[in-house]
């Protein structure tokens, strides 16, 4: 029951990332805000998430996994509910920042708790976690569409209610987990980035994440569809992300190797973004959905490289890697609408495609550093990288 309670709360936590996608135009209209102002909902969320990566290990190694989960859930409940009461876009952006801190504390700890509490072994626990991740990423836009079609405030209240249920379930069913033998310092993730392979993975993922979050945060404005239709598009996107991340990525890695899969997927994502930006409306919808396949592959391989390319403890390596890459997730939602205002609506996708291509270039140039340990490892599912399989995903 402890495992299922934590996994259920994880589904809702990942739903919160894409929840606002279908209702971004509705929020802009309801609060009389511009596209770039509304996009700050992602920027504040992921900026706090990036900084929180340095804090989550410090906190959980001192107060324990259960208390860290509950603290994160409590923050999400509070700030998700407050988000629904916002009277201005500034208030909403601020409340999303608090939501991001709570989500960072919860997601970065939940996998370790699931693995520690599961009776079926770590492999089964990781599969359960990734399934929760995929379900959350797929269903978040759908929930946002269903509730947001009635009123843009309702998805925030709905998330608060679901997370409150998760808080009660974990309080009742989850016992405290053993604390790590060594406490994590705030600077450990930064020190871990001194390893060339981990730094290379983080830099490549930084450029990739810029492309990823251009799709997630800017495309809803370009598609300009009703919440239901936009939610359907991103539900299909999330399904492809989950299938390629959990089922197909390991098979492709076994056949072609991690770096070939990653480099090829980044190049294909770049091509997809160019076609998305310069095609007609139907082409844009198709390319948005198809991008989920490449994003799913990239998330899984990047996570495994980040956790296996250096000799740093996995939670520390994950924190350092995520600290770098989530800054791009904060930048893209703000810059993409600004670039569109300065130029035209196609150019943000061209910039995102260039970012994906740069990410592929880093993988090619730094191949030896990235291969050092990664190719010694069997392709596996994501582990301690809670927020990544974005999980990562």
């Amino acid at each position: 029951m402890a495992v299922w309670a934590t996994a259920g709360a994880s589904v809702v936590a990942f739903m919160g990332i894409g929840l606002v996608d279908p209702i971004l135009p509705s929020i802009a209209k309801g609060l009389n805000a511009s596209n770039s102002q509304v996009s700050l909902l992602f920027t504040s969320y992921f900026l706090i998430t990036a900084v929180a990566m340095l804090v989550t290990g410090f906190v959980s190694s001192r107060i324990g996994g259960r208390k860290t989960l509950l603290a994160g859930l409590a923050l999400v409940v509070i700030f998700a509910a407050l988000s629904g009461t916002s009277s201005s876009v500034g208030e909403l952006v601020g409340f999303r920042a608090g939501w991001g801190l709570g989500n960072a504390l919860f997601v970065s700890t939940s996998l370790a708790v699931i693995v520690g509490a599961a009776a079926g072994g770590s492999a089964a626990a990781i599969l359960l976690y990734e399934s929760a991740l995929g379900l959350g990423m797929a269903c978040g836009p759908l929930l946002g569409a269903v509730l947001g079609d009635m009123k843009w405030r309702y998805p925030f209240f709905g998330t608060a209610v679901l997370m409150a249920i998760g808080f009660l379930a974990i309080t009742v069913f989850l016992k405290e987990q053993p604390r790590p033998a060594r406490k994590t310092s705030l600077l450990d993730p930064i020190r871990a980035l001194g390893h060339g392979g981990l730094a290379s993975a983080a830099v490549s993922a930084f450029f990739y994440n810029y492309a990823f979050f251009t799709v997630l945060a800017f495309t809803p404005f370009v598609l300009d569809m009703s919440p239901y239709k936009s939610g359907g598009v991103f539900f299909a996107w999330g399904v492809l992300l989950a299938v390629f991340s959990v089922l197909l990525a390991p098979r492709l890695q076994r056949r072609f190797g991690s770096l070939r899969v990653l480099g090829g997927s980044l190049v294909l994502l770049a091509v997809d973004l160019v076609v998305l930006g310069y095609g007609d409306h139907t082409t844009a919808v198709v390319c948005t959905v198809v991008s989920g396949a490449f994003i799913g592959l990239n998330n899984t391989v990047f996570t495994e490289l980040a956790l296996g390319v250096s000799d740093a403890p996995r939670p520390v390596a994950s924190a350092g890697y995520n600290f770098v890459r989530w800054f791009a997730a904060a930048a893209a939602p703000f810059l993409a609408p600004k670039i569109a205002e300065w130029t035209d609506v196609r150019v943000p996708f061209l910039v995102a495609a260039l970012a994906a291509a740069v990410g592929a270039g880093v993988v090619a140039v730094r191949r030896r550093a990235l291969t050092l340990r990664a190719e010694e490892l069997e392709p596996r599912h994501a582990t301690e990288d809670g927020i990544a399989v974005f999980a990562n995903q």
Side-chain angles (χ1 to χ4, degrees):
M1 290 302 297
V3 172
W4 285 110
T6 308
S10 297
V11 172
V12 182
F14 288 117
M15 286 171 63
I17 295 174
L19 181 81
V20 299
D21 251 34
I23 57 172
L24 286 175
S26 300
I27 294 173
K29 183 178 180 180
L31 295 178
N32 297 315
S34 67
N35 292 352
S36 57
Q37 287 176 317
V38 173
S39 293
L40 289 173
L41 295 178
F42 286 100
T43 296
S44 63
Y45 183 95
F46 288 114
L47 186 61
I48 295 300
T49 295
V51 176
M53 286 297 99
L54 303 179
V55 178
T56 52
F58 177 87
V59 172
S60 63
S61 65
R62 283 163 174 78
I63 68 174
R66 181 176 182 273
K67 291 179 180 177
T68 303
L69 287 181
L70 292 176
L73 286 170
L75 287 172
V76 172
V77 170
I78 292 169
F79 284 105
L82 288 173
S83 295
T85 67
S86 300
S87 58
S88 70
V89 69
E91 284 185 6
L92 184 53
V93 168
F95 293 145
R96 276 284 285 184
W99 186 341
L101 175 60
N103 219 44
L105 289 170
F106 175 82
V107 175
S108 63
T109 309
S110 57
L111 177 57
V113 170
I114 289 175
V115 171
S122 61
I126 291 168
L127 181 59
L128 175 63
Y129 178 83
E130 288 193 345
S131 300
L133 181 155
L135 184 62
M137 290 299 297
C139 292
L142 207 57
L143 177 67
V146 172
L147 297 179
D149 190 59
M150 294 181 281
K151 196 170 187 179
W152 69 262
R153 300 179 185 273
Y154 290 169
F156 299 111
F157 293 134
T159 301
V161 171
L162 291 173
M163 281 306 227
I165 295 172
F167 182 95
L168 293 175
I170 289 177
T171 300
V172 172
F173 296 114
L174 180 64
K175 298 178 180 178
E176 185 55 84
Q177 304 294 299
R179 299 182 188 181
R182 178 182 175 275
K183 294 180 179 178
T184 301
S185 77
L186 293 175
L187 294 179
D188 282 350
I190 301 297
R191 295 191 186 102
L193 290 170
H195 186 279
L198 182 60
S200 299
V203 170
S204 180
F206 175 89
F207 288 103
Y208 155 64
N209 264 31
Y210 184 92
F212 175 7
F213 283 93
T214 297
V215 174
L216 191 64
F218 183 64
T219 303
F221 296 115
V222 176
L223 297 181
D224 193 24
M225 303 166 77
S226 69
Y228 269 118
K229 291 181 179 179
S230 183
V233 169
F234 278 95
F235 173 74
W237 169 87
V239 169
L240 274 186
L241 187 153
V243 169
F244 273 76
S245 174
V246 177
L247 300 179
L248 295 182
R251 296 180 183 180
L252 291 174
Q253 286 174 274
R254 283 192 293 269
R255 182 169 181 177
F256 300 107
S258 296
L259 298 185
R260 287 181 181 177
V261 171
L262 182 59
S265 183
L266 285 169
V267 170
L268 289 173
L269 177 61
V271 173
D272 181 79
L273 288 171
V274 172
V275 177
L276 194 163
Y278 286 86
D280 59 20
H281 188 269
T282 301
T283 302
V285 169
V286 172
C287 288
T288 299
V289 174
V290 170
S291 71
F294 305 129
I295 289 170
L297 291 175
N298 293 334
N299 285 344
T300 294
V301 180
F302 266 125
T303 300
E304 295 181 0
L305 286 177
L307 298 179
V309 76
S310 74
D311 54 1
R314 286 176 175 177
V316 174
S318 172
Y321 161 78
N322 279 301
F323 173 71
V324 173
R325 80 187 189 97
W326 286 117
F327 278 109
F334 174 74
L335 290 178
K338 287 293 185 184
I339 293 172
E341 292 172 8
W342 299 331
T343 55
D344 66 60
V345 75
R346 299 179 179 87
V347 176
F349 294 103
L350 192 60
V351 174
L354 180 61
V358 171
V362 173
V363 172
V365 172
R366 298 289 295 169
R367 191 175 192 86
R368 180 172 297 180
L370 291 168
T371 304
L372 184 60
R373 278 175 52 85
E375 293 300 323
E376 297 174 4
L377 301 174
E378 287 295 325
R380 62 186 185 282
H381 295 290
T383 54
E384 283 87 344
D385 188 10
I387 294 189
V389 174
F390 166 72
N392 165 357
Q393 284 160 358

